[in-house]
Amino acid sequence: MTLAVFTLLLLGAVPIALVLALTAAWYIVASGNTLLFVSYPQQLFGAIEHYGLLAIPLFMLAGELMNEGGLTRRLIDLARILVGGFRGGLVYINLVANMMMAAIVGSAASQIAIMSRAMVPAMEQEGYDKPFSAAITAAGGLMSPIIPPSMLFVLFGVIAQVPIADMFVAGILPGLLMGLLFFMAITVIGLVEQYPKGDWPSRDQARAYLLMGVPAMSIPLIIIGGILSGLATPTESAALASLAALLIGRYVYRDLTFARLPDILRRTAFNAGLVIMLIAAAGVFGWVIIYEQLPQMAAAWIASLTTDPFIFLLLVIGVLLLVGMIIDGIAALILVVPILLPIATQQFDITPYQFGVVVSLTLVLGLLTPPVGAGLFISSSMTGVPPMQIFRALLPFLAMSLIALILLAWQPWLTLALL
């Protein structure tokens, strides 16, 4: 009956945070153990009492300040120096700029919104197909959950009780692998579609782009450098990145004015509030799941299917692809990790870092797949392209993402080599 209530609320377009909180409350009533309501508020607030979660609104703020302060545009110009002269140069520029932004924003949905506004009109002006332009921009958002910093990694680190900094390091090689596979897809598509050869910037242009791009590139260096050197925690690095983005946007590029700060802070607070509410509600729901001993039942079922770690991870990928199509990635992560992580580590000897990278990338694919596909609708609202047209153009990149997932499940060293 509890499952029926959960499904009914979900299909009724009730916000996912309310779905989780109401389902947990229904379970308590249906079980007759109403004393559990005494612990309900404690579980609700206990889910968000973690220092590492402060990194989420700070990374959101850094992304907003970068976009408003002109740093995003300078990163795009910097990418022109690296890949602008290849066939389909603007497509490569889009992808490289997305990789740079992934090292700052940490949220796939936010990155898709920011880069869609910046890149799709420019690609359309140069004659690129608009659905493809929207698709490659949305595909770039897939790298946000694995190229550090990553909101999903922050949450996974909190839930799994592993160092968030180590999770960030574990995502570096997988992020580069994703970028390489996407480059291969773009190369093939460019040859088939005969995209025009790009133009390399002149020496003077390259020098100007480099000089203007260096301050913007300091943001990911502050984040990654602070974490890897041990000088700052991920939360402190996010705070420093936000401060740097504010100072650079205001005093170096002068695109940002203090009059716009209230709107920036309001958007950040609203978006962060949605995420924190979701974490709190999912914490209560996860408490109910553990109380019902679902992890133990799931462990017994999976153990009856296979004893091979690779096959286990393939099963996890298959299940989570379906879950991610329906439930928000953050909520799904909070729901599945308490169930599946103990099975992965205890029965299959899979490290939390490999498991976290595989789970995070798998769930974020749901952002761009029907029937829910929030990323598709974000991209559609930013570009005016129907969601299904974007999805069809996305298929080669989704296929490359699945290849990356299989490689990450098969070869643990891809996540562990830098630890």
Side-chain angles (χ1 to χ4, degrees), residues 273-333:
L274 292 177
V275 174
I276 298 301
M277 282 180 62
L278 187 54
I279 294 168
V284 173
F285 192 80
W287 166 58
V288 167
I289 287 174
I290 294 171
Y291 191 85
E292 278 291 279
Q293 296 188 326
L294 287 183
Q296 292 88 330
M297 291 187 284
W301 176 69
I302 292 174
S304 68
L305 297 177
T306 182
T307 57
D308 187 308
F310 177 56
I311 301 299
F312 166 75
L313 285 176
L314 290 183
L315 289 171
V316 169
I317 289 169
V319 170
L320 294 189
L321 282 173
L322 297 176
V323 171
M325 290 179 184
I326 302 171
I327 302 177
D328 177 82
I330 293 174
L333 185 80

Side-chain angles (χ1 to χ4, degrees), residues 1-67:
M1 188 63 182
T2 303
L3 179 61
V5 171
F6 175 82
T7 305
L8 184 64
L9 291 172
L10 195 64
L11 295 178
V14 176
I16 187 66
L18 288 178
V19 171
L20 299 174
L22 291 174
T23 303
W26 170 266
Y27 166 79
I28 294 172
V29 173
S31 67
N33 191 3
T34 53
L35 284 176
L36 290 176
F37 275 121
V38 176
S39 298
Y40 192 99
Q42 180 181 354
Q43 297 296 329
L44 193 68
F45 287 98
I48 57 175
E49 287 183 338
H50 195 285
Y51 170 73
L53 293 177
L54 282 173
I56 292 177
L58 290 171
F59 281 129
M60 286 182 170
L61 178 60
E64 289 283 354
L65 289 169
M66 284 194 64
N67 198 43

Side-chain angles (χ1 to χ4, degrees), residues 141-155:
L142 292 175
M143 291 181 288
S144 192
I146 50 177
I147 293 180
S150 161
M151 285 190 200
L152 290 183
F153 282 0
V154 172
L155 288 177

